[in-house]
Structures are given as structure tokens and as C-alpha cells.
Amino acid sequence: MDSREIKKICFSLGAELCGVAGVDRFSGAPEGYRPLDVWPECRSVVSFACRLPAGTLACQSPIPYTRVRNSLTPKLDAIALDFCIEMERRGVPCVPIPTNESQWDAATGRWRSIVSLKHAAQAAGLGTIGRHSLLITPELGSMVWLGAVLCGAELEPDALQPPLCDGCGRCAAACPVHALDGAELAQQACWDHAFGDDPERRTWCISCHACRDVCPYCLGSQNGGNKEERYAASRI
């Protein structure tokens, strides 16, 4: 099988973006969280994404954004599972990476996916990670939710994207808890502020996405005109 066939399967299952990375592109990942650490038979990583509707950013209620995010998680997991099943029918073993499941990495003091989906997407040429720690894609900006599969076949990798974030700093300035003031995201500060129970609504919700709201490339570099027009569009 080649990369084109792989992508055709992925798109048929509902993915909107898909790319391929070689395992050599993960040498800088933390020890224990590289594809070969998870599955020694891995030869390629297939990354894919679905669109996160941008209209949810403009809602006064946090419920639409929260429910869309929560619905995308099982959708991406289902795509990963079905992709693995389809590949196994073709004689190629694959392993799905959970879309939204973290474990504590005591060595670095951070929560991590067993393979970083953002870094897998960047390694597969879908986009680049911005100052706000979100993946930015040319087609959809940061309005994506990500999935990945470890593949037992050696596939031709996609070209890497040039950096899409220009380091304007709007995301850091907009963060109400200064989680972007350091060299990397202050993960726990961000999570404690943005995710949790809303005592007024008595429901769990995502109450903050300020960094995504103000990013000039929230909707991607291929959508709209100049940078300032895209920034205005991202504010809805």
C-alpha cells in the first residue's frame, strides 16, 4: 500500500485532513512517548483531523463548544479504530492512539498522551504548533480535533509545513491566567481555569478558549485575505 491509498481510507471514514510521518521524526519526543516506545513494530504514523466548527467560539454559552469537543473525541476514536480494522483486512497491522486520554509523566511533571497528537500532526505535515500550543493547519487553522494511528507499514512521509505561527503574542496577552508566559504552556494552570464544573449551570464545561479566539490564524492561512482580515474573522 502507498500513502495515497492510506489517505483514501482515512477520508472515507470521515477525516478531513490526513498525513503520514516516519518514525524518525519523533526522535525529540520525551522518552517513553515515542511511537517505537509504544509499539516497536511501528514503521509510520498516520495523523488525521476533523473540523471543529468555528461558530462555537462566538457563543455566549460555553455549552456548544463543550459539546462539540466532547462529540469529536469519540468520532476520532471511531475513525482510528475503523482505520485499524480496514488496514488489518489488508494485512497491515495498526494501533490506534486514544484521542483524549492522558497519563502522568513523572520525569517531566506533565500529563501526556502516549504519543502526542499535536506533534504527530506536525510531523505528518498537517500543520505547525503555534505559540498557544495548538496545532495550526493551513486549511482549518486551529479549529481541528486530532487522531493518530501507528502503522506497521513503511509509508512515504508527507512534507513538513513551514511555520504558520508568527509569534505575535496575542494568545499570551489574552490568557487570563498567564499560562503562556513561559517557554511552554503552564498546563495545570490552563486546565484548572478552562475545564471544570460550572456552579451556576451545574454542568461540566470548557469555559475558556481565549488563546484560540484571538489567533490571527485561527481559521487557517488559506481562509480569507490578509492577516488582519483573518484576525477579524477569527473574532467572528
Side-chain angles (χ1 to χ4, degrees):
M1 299 189 71
D2 61 23
S3 294
R4 288 178 299 177
E5 292 177 89
I6 293 291
K7 292 176 184 179
K8 185 176 180 180
I9 294 171
C10 212
F11 293 142
S12 74
L13 294 171
E16 197 150 348
L17 303 174
C18 183
V20 176
V23 293
D24 59 311
R25 293 182 178 177
F26 294 84
S27 59
E31 186 176 353
Y33 294 88
R34 304 174 187 123
L36 289 174
D37 295 329
V38 176
W39 187 40
E41 303 303 315
C42 180
R43 296 295 175 265
S44 304
V45 178
V46 178
S47 174
F48 51 90
C50 287
R51 183 189 301 256
L52 199 167
T56 58
L57 298 182
C59 295
Q60 297 301 306
S61 167
I63 301 303
Y65 181 91
T66 302
R67 295 298 169 257
V68 164
R69 180 265 202 184
N70 289 349
S71 296
L72 282 171
T73 295
K75 178 178 180 178
L76 271 293
D77 281 337
I79 291 173
L81 176 59
D82 289 344
F83 179 87
C84 290
I85 291 171
E86 286 299 317
M87 290 295 288
E88 194 163 301
R89 286 180 178 142
R90 292 164 169 79
V92 180
C94 290
V95 174
I97 300 300
T99 300
N100 189 31
E101 186 174 321
S102 300
Q103 62 185 30
W104 181 248
D105 177 16
T108 60
R110 298 179 72 81
W111 293 96
R112 298 189 185 279
S113 172
I114 57 173
V115 172
S116 169
L117 296 175
K118 289 184 293 187
H119 287 85
Q122 181 170 261
L126 294 192
T128 59
I129 298 171
R131 176 72 180 82
H132 45 26
S133 88
L134 302 171
L135 184 83
I136 305 173
T137 69
E139 302 89 348
L140 303 174
S142 64
M143 300 306 294
V144 291
W145 207 241
L146 301 170
V149 165
L150 308 184
C151 184
E154 189 165 344
L155 304 167
E156 181 181 357
D158 285 285
L160 298 175
Q161 291 278 352
L164 295 171
C165 173
D166 63 5
C168 69
R170 282 173 168 147
C171 55
C175 179
V177 293
H178 306 286
L180 293 167
D181 287 358
E184 62 180 359
L185 172 71
Q187 192 183 69
Q188 198 62 55
C190 171
W191 291 5
D192 288 345
H193 172 72
F195 305 93
D197 294 325
D198 183 320
E200 182 178 339
R201 297 178 177 86
R202 299 186 183 183
T203 185
W204 187 94
C205 65
I206 303 170
S207 59
C208 182
H209 37 72
C211 59
R212 200 189 298 267
D213 295 342
V214 302
C215 177
Y217 297 98
C218 170
L219 301 181
S221 57
Q222 294 181 3
N223 295 322
N226 62 37
K227 178 178 174 180
E228 293 305 316
E229 289 172 345
R230 288 195 295 273
Y231 176 60
S234 75
R235 301 298 297 270
I236 312 295

